[in-house]
């Protein structure tokens, strides 16, 4: 039986996008592919939300964008992190890790009795 | 890109968005084809994976944060197209709104000029007016000794200054004709307290008023320019005031306004010393103004001064009528004191124009409702293809706001040209201009916005609540919707009528007061009579003998002028008295006005002499002291005994006077003033230095002024003749404020009536249109034209009667604020209330008669086929 995919928790799409863009300038299609790869068997990334999210992050000043030649030679809109975006990513990633660790701990300690 | 760039570069962003998404799709298709899928299949699956393109684009646009502006612009474009499609509607709405908003802005510009505009002094908020009041009576000045002690001991004021306004002084300068000027008598620190400095020369100093030093004067800019020809070496020059020399030490800046006496032309540093002579100090009063120390409140200052006054009894002489401690001290902002007399009138007018704006809004709301009905199908379609209720309301609201803004822009023009006409509302104590500043413009903008929401919101809320199914069907809204809407339209018309009635009642009361006032018999004949005032100076030169001699020669000279029928002198001319002489007469010490007059006084003013004889040449200095009394005085002094030949004592100077005549009562103080009890003495027996010439001409006497002036100055060229006015002018001025108030409120009431009638007409006309079918059926079933006429007019009259009933109830409560403006009518005058109600119902009858006539011309056959 294939393991069921979970929906992406609220607000984590932005975090994932920031994580991917942090590696260097990248265009929307490539981000979509990375997202699909990264999450292949675990979470469902709604592709339709990608571009609105990118535009939101750009307008909030977390991402910067410029039209550059892509690997195929066509002009594509490339995104990269701004200083503000980098700081935001660091903060959110940290707090996310702390939270998930805490939840992990709670679930672990209670497992024996419940199951 | 910031928010603003995102808004402006919208097209560029759209192109980029398209390109970005297209790139994504092309890449996805290419990848899939590389994996062996056919192009069609690849394209299909790429699109499925990405999801709905249009929706995604919309979300990207939302992410820009500019969407609301774009929809608003879209709404406005739509509103503009709509307005262009029905220009009659737009013009009617914008026109009435402009009137409503304009009238409000005009009156608000007065409110702003009087109450909101800061006075032209440094930090005017810290300048306070100080007054003492007896229990139950608000005073406006303070006792001189209290002021002196406050000044020494107070801790609340940075500077505590005082001033006096007197009747004026005779001004002369070398090689100049003598003139009469207003003088301000101030303490030396007065201008420093206000924060105003002379433009040339120096301010007063502490020692300036001390005796033994040169007497100095500061002059106003216009006196410097006009009387002294703007001469640059004015400093150190001598001018003569009441015959005594004064050295000019400075010129005040142009436009400097002296609180409470705008027409002062020069200032002397003698508020405390000269004007109140030392023996009368104990009950002499001054006007006190001070600048509070920073952080001190008016109340703290009041407590400080009151405590000082309370400790004065025992140490200082008692004032005439009470102890120092019995007087309460008031400290209030200067502006509040200067504008206290204008408050009620301005607030009443503000209320009136507020009513007009409400009436106008109700009218435009009615227009909107009628139009919303016509647009039911359009709105239904919008709702059917997914427009939310909020979206529909926004669309309609954009339209009303646009009309409101247009009306506001047009309305702002009204205060521009009405400002001069409204000047009479300004108290004489503040700068006499009505500025159009940011407050006025802001108020107009707020009015437009409020009006737009007020008349736009209710109709759009109803329109947006439409039942989709019935709206889209032929025949328009559900009958229930229609009934609810017509009830709303009816209530709006009723509200208009009620408010209009309130204004009409108010205007009616003022008009009736004014007519009553004009019908008052003044007791003298004001036609063709000229008044001219004189005050003989200097004091040392003009003793009683010279006063007698001067006025005898002046009278002889003036009587000899061509065009003069008769002439007299008097110390208290009717309507123009500058000094009031109130003496206590008889055993009961009754207060009576005592006037010195020459022989021809009664003949010149055509005052009826009811008993006895007029004065004659025999009533001289040294002969028996005689007097003529008025009817009112006769009643008070002699009850029902015949006063002729009786003697009475003047307790002010202990002279015994023999009554030789009784004159008819006159309205000495003005048409709206009570009759004074009066006593007249022949002027040779009671000489005064302040006298007025009363000259009756053959025709309009205004032209006599130069000849009179010349005749007087031929006797003594140092004596100015001033305040030359016809008695008719004085009479007209004395009722001017009432006339202007009555006209203004009358104009507003008339405006409201017209708008309200248009409202009633609109409601009835619309109701007839809506009920074409019903009326057709009635007529087909045998209803006569008269029945139809009665039915429609009857509906209009029901609206009118309900409106009148509500309006009368409101008026009963509201007209009380007018009480102080009324003359000869009560605030609940039955005649006014009844006639105004009848007029309003009659007007409503005509307003509904026109649509009713149209209803009778409905052809039943066509009306029925129409369905």
């Amino acid at each position: 039986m294939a393991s069921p995919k979970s929906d992406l928790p609220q607000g984590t799409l932005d975090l994932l996008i920031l994580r991917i863009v942090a590696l260097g300038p990248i265009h929307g299609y490539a981000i979509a592919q990375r997202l699909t790869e990264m999450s292949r068997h675990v979470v469902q990334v709604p592709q339709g939300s990608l571009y609105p999210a990118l535009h939101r992050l750009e307008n909030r000043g977390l991402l910067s964008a410029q039209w550059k030649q892509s690997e195929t030679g066509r002009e594509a809109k490339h995104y990269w992190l701004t200083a503000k975006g980098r700081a935001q990513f660091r903060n959110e990633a940290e707090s996310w890790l702390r939270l998930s660790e805490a939840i992990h701990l709670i679930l672990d300690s209670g497992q024996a009795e419940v199951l | 890109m910031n928010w603003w760039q995102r808004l402006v570069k919208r097209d560029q962003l759209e192109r980029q968005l398209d390109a970005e998404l297209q790139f994504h799709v092309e890449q996805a298709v290419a990848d899939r084809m590389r994996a062996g899928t056919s192009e069609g299949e690849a394209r299909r699956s790429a699109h499925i994976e990405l999801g709905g393109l249009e929706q995604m684009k919309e979300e990207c646009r939302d992410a820009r944060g500019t969407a609301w502006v774009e929809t608003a612009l879209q709404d406005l474009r739509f509103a503009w197209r709509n307005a262009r499609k029905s220009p009659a509607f737009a013009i009617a709405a914008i026109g009435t709104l402009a009137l409503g908003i304009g009238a409000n802005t005009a009156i608000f510009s007065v409110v702003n000029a009087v109450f909101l505009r800061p006075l032209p002094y440094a930090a005017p908020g810290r300048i306070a007016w100080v007054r003492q009041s007896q229990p139950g009576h608000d005073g406006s000045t303070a006792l001189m000794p209290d002021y002196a002690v406050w000044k020494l001991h107070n801790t609340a004021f940075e500077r505590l200054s005082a001033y006096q306004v007197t009747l004026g002084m005779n001004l002369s300068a070398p090689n100049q004709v003598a003139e009469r000027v207003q003088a301000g008598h101030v303490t030396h620190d007065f201008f420093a307290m206000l924060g105003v400095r002379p433009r040339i020369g120096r301010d007063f100093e502490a020692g300036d008023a001390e005796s033994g030093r040169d007497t100095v004067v500061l002059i106003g800019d216009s006196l410097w320019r006009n009387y002294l020809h703007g001469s640059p070496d004015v400093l150190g020059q001598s001018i003569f005031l009441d015959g005594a020399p004064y050295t000019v030490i400075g010129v005040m800046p142009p436009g400097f306004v002296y609180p409470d006496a705008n027409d002062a032309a020069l200032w002397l540093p003698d508020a405390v010393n000269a004007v109140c002579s030392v023996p009368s100090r104990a009950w002499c009063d001054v006007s006190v103004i001070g600048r509070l120390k920073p952080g001190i409140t008016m109340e703290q200052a009041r407590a400080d001064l009151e405590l000082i006054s309370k400790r004065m009894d025992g140490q200082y002489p008692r004032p005439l009528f009470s102890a120092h401690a019995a007087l309460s001290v008031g400290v209030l902002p200067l502006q509040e004191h200067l504008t206290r007399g204008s408050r009620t009138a301005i607030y009443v007018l503000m209320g009136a124009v507020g009513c007009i704006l409400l009436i106008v809004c109700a009218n435009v709301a009615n227009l909107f409702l009628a139009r919303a009905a016509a647009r039911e199908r359009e709105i239904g379609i919008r709702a059917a293809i997914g427009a939310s209720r909020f979206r529909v309301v926004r669309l309609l609201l954009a339209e009303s706001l646009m009309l409101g803004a247009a009306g506001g822009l047009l309305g702002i023009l009204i205060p521009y040209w009405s400002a001069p006409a409204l000047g009479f509302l300004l108290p004489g104590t503040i700068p006499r201009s009505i500025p159009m500043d940011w407050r006025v413009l802001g108020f107009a903008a707020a009015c437009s916005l409020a009006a737009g929401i007020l008349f736009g919101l209710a109709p759009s809320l109803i329109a947006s609540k439409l039942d989709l199914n019935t709206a889209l069907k032929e025949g328009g809204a559900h009958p229930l919707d229609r009934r609810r809407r017509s009830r709303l339209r009816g209530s709006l018309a009723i509200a208009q009528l009620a408010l209009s009635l309130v204004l009409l009642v108010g205007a009616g009361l003022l008009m009736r007061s004014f007519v009553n006032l004009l019908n008052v018999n003044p007791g003298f004949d004001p036609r063709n009579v000229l008044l001219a005032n004189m005050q003989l100076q200097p004091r040392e030169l003009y003793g009683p003998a010279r006063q007698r001699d001067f006025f005898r020669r002046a009278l002889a000279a003036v009587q000899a002028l061509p065009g003069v029928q008769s002439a007299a002198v008097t110390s208290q001319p009717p309507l123009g008295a500058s000094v009031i002489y109130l003496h206590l007469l008889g055993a009961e010490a009754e207060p009576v006005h005592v006037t010195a007059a020459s022989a021809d006084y009664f003949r010149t003013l055509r005052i009826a002499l009811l008993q006895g004889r007029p004065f004659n040449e025999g009533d001289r200095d040294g002969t028996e002291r005689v007097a003529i009394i008025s009817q009112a005085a006769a009643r008070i002094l002699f009850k029902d005994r015949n006063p002729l030949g009786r003697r009475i004592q003047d307790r002010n100077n202990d002279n015994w006077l023999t009554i030789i005549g009784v004159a008819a009562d006159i309205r000495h103080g003005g048409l709206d003033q009570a009759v004074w009890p009066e006593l007249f003495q022949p002027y040779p027996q009671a000489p005064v230095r302040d006298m007025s010439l009363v000259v009756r001409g053959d025709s309009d006497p205004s032209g006599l002024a130069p000849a009179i002036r010349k005749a007087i100055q031929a006797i003594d060229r140092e004596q100015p003749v001033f305040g030359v006015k016809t008695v008719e002018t004085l009479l007209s001025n004395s009722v001017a404020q009432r006339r202007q108030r009555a006209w203004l409120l009358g104009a507003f009431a008339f405006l409201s009536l017209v708008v309200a009638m248009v409202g009633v007409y609109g409601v009835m006309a619309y109701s007839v249109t809506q009920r074409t079918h019903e009326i057709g059926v009635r007529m087909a079933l045998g209803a006569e034209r008269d029945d139809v006429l009665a039915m429609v007019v009857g509906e209009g009259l029901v609206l009118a009667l309900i409106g009148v009933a509500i309006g009368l109830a409101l008026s009963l409560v509201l007209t009380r604020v007018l009480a102080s403006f009324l003359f000869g009518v009560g605030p609940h005058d039955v005649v006014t209330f009844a006639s105004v109600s009848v007029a309003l119902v009659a007007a409503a009858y005509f307003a509904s008669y026109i649509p009713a006539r149209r209803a009778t011309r409905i052809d039943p056959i066509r009306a029925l086929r129409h369905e």
Side-chain angles (χ1 to χ4, degrees):
Chain A
M1 196 178 82
S3 57
K5 289 186 189 177
S6 321
D7 280 337
L8 204 53
Q10 198 84 54
T12 44
L13 178 60
D14 286 4
L15 187 60
L16 295 185
I17 291 175
L18 291 176
R19 170 74 185 80
I20 293 165
V21 177
L23 301 174
I26 183 168
H27 56 70
Y29 180 68
I31 299 174
Q33 286 193 309
R34 286 282 179 78
L35 274 175
T36 325
E37 263 167 40
M38 278 164 57
S39 56
R40 182 142 286 151
H41 303 295
V42 196
V43 288
Q44 178 83 45
V45 176
Q47 283 224 359
S49 324
L50 173 62
Y51 284 97
L54 279 172
H55 284 226
R56 198 167 51 243
L57 292 171
E58 185 191 350
N59 289 332
R60 279 169 58 198
L62 302 180
L63 295 183
S64 214
Q66 206 168 12
W67 289 77
K68 285 202 291 197
Q69 236 173 31
S70 70
E71 55 284 314
T72 59
R74 284 189 55 181
E75 285 265 304
K77 193 177 179 185
H78 284 70
Y79 296 87
W80 67 90
L81 276 189
T82 61
K84 190 174 160 195
R86 199 167 293 282
Q88 172 87 359
F89 170 63
R90 214 171 284 136
N91 274 345
E92 276 191 27
E94 248 169 54
S95 74
W96 179 256
L97 285 177
R98 255 202 319 277
L99 181 68
S100 61
E101 214 168 286
I103 291 174
H104 187 84
L105 259 171
I106 294 165
L107 292 179
D108 235 17
S109 66
Q111 211 165 27
E113 292 102 82
V114 178
L115 292 182
Chain B
M1 241 182 224
N2 61 29
W3 183 86
W4 184 243
Q5 289 168 321
R6 292 203 291 275
L7 180 63
V8 178
K9 297 191 175 165
R10 184 175 173 277
D11 290 345
Q12 187 191 336
L13 286 175
E14 281 298 309
R15 274 199 308 276
Q16 290 184 356
L17 178 61
D18 280 344
E20 187 176 20
L21 294 179
Q22 201 191 347
F23 174 81
H24 182 108
V25 173
E26 293 305 325
Q27 289 290 310
V29 170
D31 279 0
R32 280 171 170 74
M33 282 172 70
R34 219 172 294 130
T37 329
S38 73
E39 191 186 339
E41 181 54 29
R43 201 161 281 281
R44 208 180 68 86
S45 83
H47 274 291
I48 289 175
E49 195 187 32
L50 194 55
L53 266 188
E54 280 311 313
Q55 199 193 339
M56 197 192 307
K57 279 190 193 171
E58 201 56 42
E59 281 175 42
C60 289
R61 286 181 201 125
D62 282 347
R64 289 178 207 155
T66 58
W68 63 273
V69 181
E70 281 161 19
T71 16
L73 287 175
Q74 222 176 335
D75 289 350
L76 279 180
R77 268 197 298 276
F78 176 76
W80 172 243
R81 276 205 306 274
N82 253 329
R84 295 230 343 228
K85 253 195 302 192
S86 45
F89 165 80
I91 289 170
I94 292 174
T96 44
L97 280 169
L99 279 179
I101 295 170
N104 273 272
T105 310
I107 297 299
F108 179 80
S109 69
V110 176
V111 170
N112 176 47
V114 176
F115 303 119
L116 305 180
R117 172 177 51 171
L119 294 169
Y121 309 121
R126 274 166 49 209
I127 305 183
W129 181 272
V130 183
R131 65 183 190 192
Q132 279 180 309
S133 306
Q134 285 178 284
H137 175 80
D138 271 353
S140 67
T141 53
L143 292 171
M144 182 80 80
D146 293 55
Y147 165 69
V149 180
W150 289 342
K151 191 164 169 101
L152 280 177
H153 297 300
N154 88 81
T155 54
F157 289 89
E158 221 169 74
R159 283 200 167 89
L160 193 60
S161 311
Y163 76 85
Q164 297 251 351
V165 185
T166 52
L167 296 172
M169 298 179 103
N170 292 352
L171 165 72
S172 59
N175 310 318
Q176 285 282 26
V177 180
E179 263 188 29
R180 183 74 170 178
V181 291
Q182 282 296 327
H185 302 268
V186 300
T187 50
H188 70 86
D189 59 354
F190 186 79
F191 299 111
M193 181 274 298
L194 291 179
V196 181
R197 294 197 45 76
R199 59 175 293 186
I200 308 175
R202 67 167 176 91
D203 198 353
F204 292 130
E205 290 166 359
D208 278 342
E210 281 167 19
S211 57
R213 294 190 43 170
D214 274 358
T215 45
V216 294
V217 60
L218 267 170
I219 61 174
D221 187 71
S222 69
L223 184 73
W224 176 56
R225 283 177 194 286
N226 301 328
Y227 195 71
L228 300 173
H229 311 301
S231 143
D233 48 357
V234 64
L235 296 185
Q237 196 179 324
S238 274
I239 59 173
F240 293 84
L241 292 169
D242 286 348
Y246 285 78
T247 310
V248 176
I249 58 163
V251 180
M252 292 307 286
F256 168 67
V257 180
Y258 174 59
D260 220 6
N262 278 343
D263 47 357
L266 49 82
W267 294 272
L268 304 171
D270 59 357
V272 177
N273 293 330
V275 179
C276 275
S277 52
V278 176
S280 62
R281 260 185 68 150
W283 55 84
C284 195
D285 45 2
V286 282
S287 301
V288 179
I289 307 184
R291 178 176 289 277
L292 293 170
K293 286 179 183 162
I296 300 282
T297 64
M298 302 276 162
E299 173 53 29
Q300 288 166 334
R302 192 198 63 74
D304 183 31
L305 299 186
E306 198 158 83
L307 193 68
I308 296 172
S309 276
K310 281 206 174 14
R311 290 196 301 243
M312 281 177 66
D313 286 305
Q315 295 181 47
Y316 293 89
R318 262 172 70 93
L320 180 63
F321 32 71
S322 98
H324 292 283
L327 299 170
S328 64
V329 177
V331 175
L332 63 164
L334 179 60
Q335 188 148 14
E336 195 180 316
H337 172 77
L338 295 182
T339 58
R340 67 201 182 286
S342 312
R343 210 159 287 258
T344 320
I346 292 176
Y347 285 166
V348 164
L349 288 172
M350 201 68 220
V353 288
C355 283
I356 292 186
L357 190 59
L358 286 179
I359 294 173
V360 163
C361 283
N363 221 357
V364 181
N366 255 337
L367 285 175
F368 251 72
L369 273 173
R371 253 192 13 136
R375 281 166 61 183
E376 258 158 24
R377 281 170 57 77
E378 175 211 321
I379 292 167
I381 290 168
R382 281 175 188 278
I385 60 175
S388 65
R389 187 165 170 219
F390 174 69
R391 193 70 188 76
V392 171
V393 170
R394 256 182 63 169
L395 193 66
L396 296 174
L397 209 52
E399 228 177 315
S400 62
L401 285 176
M402 187 187 76
L403 291 178
L409 279 177
L410 213 58
I412 286 175
L413 296 177
I414 290 182
Y416 269 108
W417 58 253
S418 73
L422 294 176
F424 77 94
L425 287 168
L426 299 179
T429 47
I430 62 165
R432 300 200 64 74
S433 67
I434 301 179
M436 290 290 291
D437 55 15
W438 61 269
R439 288 189 211 91
V440 176
L441 297 180
F443 176 83
C447 263
S448 315
L449 192 68
I453 292 173
L454 208 58
F455 71 73
L457 198 58
S460 9
L461 281 179
I462 288 184
S464 67
K465 233 187 331 201
L466 277 181
D467 177 358
L468 274 189
N469 288 322
T470 49
L472 292 178
K473 267 191 246 152
E474 192 68 39
H478 193 268
L480 267 175
D481 272 336
R482 201 185 288 163
R483 194 178 310 161
R484 192 178 57 211
R485 201 174 297 149
S486 78
R487 203 180 306 144
L488 178 68
R489 289 170 57 84
S491 338
L492 284 172
I494 289 170
Q496 287 180 300
L497 288 163
L499 288 173
S500 178
L501 185 93
V502 172
L503 290 187
L504 287 168
V505 165
L509 288 173
L510 290 192
M511 296 272 184
R512 254 173 79 81
S513 299
F514 184 61
V515 170
N516 285 345
L517 199 62
L518 292 187
N519 286 336
V520 168
N521 176 10
F524 54 88
D525 181 1
R527 285 166 302 174
N528 297 341
V529 180
L530 194 71
L531 288 186
N533 305 325
M534 286 166 289
Q535 186 190 54
L536 300 183
Q537 292 287 0
R539 220 164 260 276
E540 304 76 42
L541 206 59
Y542 275 101
R546 284 206 52 185
Q547 289 173 22
R548 264 182 225 116
D549 181 58
F550 180 92
F551 288 121
R552 185 182 52 76
R553 289 169 62 191
L555 262 183
V558 170
Q559 271 161 346
L561 289 176
V564 171
Q565 231 176 53
S566 67
V569 288
T570 172
S571 58
Q572 289 187 106
L575 307 169
S578 47
V579 190
I580 304 290
Y581 300 93
L582 205 60
H583 290 201
L584 302 178
L585 293 185
E588 310 280 335
E590 300 282 359
V592 171
H593 289 265
V594 171
T595 303
S598 65
D600 283 340
Y601 178 72
F602 298 98
R603 188 160 73 88
T604 306
L605 277 173
R606 298 195 175 139
I607 300 172
L609 206 57
L610 305 171
Q611 271 185 289
R613 65 163 177 92
F615 301 134
N616 58 34
E617 292 301 314
D619 302 320
R620 293 191 310 269
D621 181 35
T623 61
E624 181 186 34
R625 289 180 186 276
V626 295
I628 294 173
I629 53 176
S630 68
Q631 272 178 296
R635 250 192 322 275
I636 292 171
L637 297 173
F638 299 101
K639 308 289 183 288
D640 39 9
R641 289 167 296 165
N642 184 355
L644 279 194
R646 289 185 189 277
R647 281 156 52 85
I648 192 155
Q649 192 183 21
D650 183 342
R651 303 191 150 249
N652 284 46
N653 47 31
D654 290 337
N655 290 333
W656 282 90
L657 312 169
T658 307
I659 309 299
I660 57 161
V662 177
D665 283 331
I666 64 165
R667 302 273 167 175
H668 206 140
L671 294 179
D672 54 353
Q673 302 291 308
V675 165
W676 298 352
E678 294 193 77
L679 180 141
F680 302 90
Q681 284 179 278
Y683 85 88
Q685 294 184 351
V688 196
R689 66 181 67 249
D690 289 278
M691 285 292 242
S692 299
L693 272 167
V694 186
V695 182
R696 176 171 293 279
D698 294 326
S699 55
D700 178 18
S702 329
L704 292 171
I708 292 174
R709 198 167 262 135
K710 232 173 116 188
I712 300 299
Q713 292 191 333
I715 304 170
D716 180 351
R717 68 181 301 268
E718 298 289 302
Q719 301 307 324
V721 177
F722 54 94
V724 183
K725 286 207 173 76
T726 65
V727 175
E728 273 185 312
T729 309
L730 289 173
L731 209 54
S732 156
N733 288 350
S734 76
V735 296
Q737 258 219 332
R738 285 178 185 276
R739 183 176 53 229
Q740 284 157 326
R741 276 200 299 248
W743 270 111
L744 198 57
L745 198 57
F748 288 155
F750 181 74
L751 186 67
S752 79
L753 180 68
V754 171
V755 178
M757 285 314 130
V758 171
V760 172
Y761 168 82
V763 171
M764 298 318 298
Y766 180 71
S767 147
V768 167
T769 316
Q770 288 277 296
R771 290 163 61 187
T772 306
H773 181 65
E774 178 209 321
I775 293 171
V777 171
R778 279 171 192 270
M779 292 178 78
L781 291 179
E784 292 294 323
R785 285 174 189 268
D786 282 354
D787 298 335
V788 173
L789 194 74
M791 180 182 79
V792 178
V793 170
E795 266 175 45
L797 285 182
V798 167
L799 292 183
L801 289 175
I802 301 176
V804 165
I806 297 173
L808 285 177
L810 280 175
S811 302
L812 280 175
V813 181
L814 290 175
T815 50
R816 248 170 253 162
V817 300
L818 290 176
S820 63
F821 302 147
L822 300 183
F823 181 79
V825 289
H828 297 158
D829 180 50
V830 178
V831 177
T832 310
F833 275 64
S835 50
V836 162
S837 305
V838 170
L840 194 70
V841 172
Y845 175 85
F846 285 116
S848 37
Y849 185 77
I850 306 166
R853 276 294 299 274
R854 212 172 61 217
T856 64
R857 284 197 291 269
I858 289 172
D859 178 355
I861 297 170
R862 281 176 57 193
L864 291 177
R865 201 185 295 141
H866 172 72
E867 195 70 340

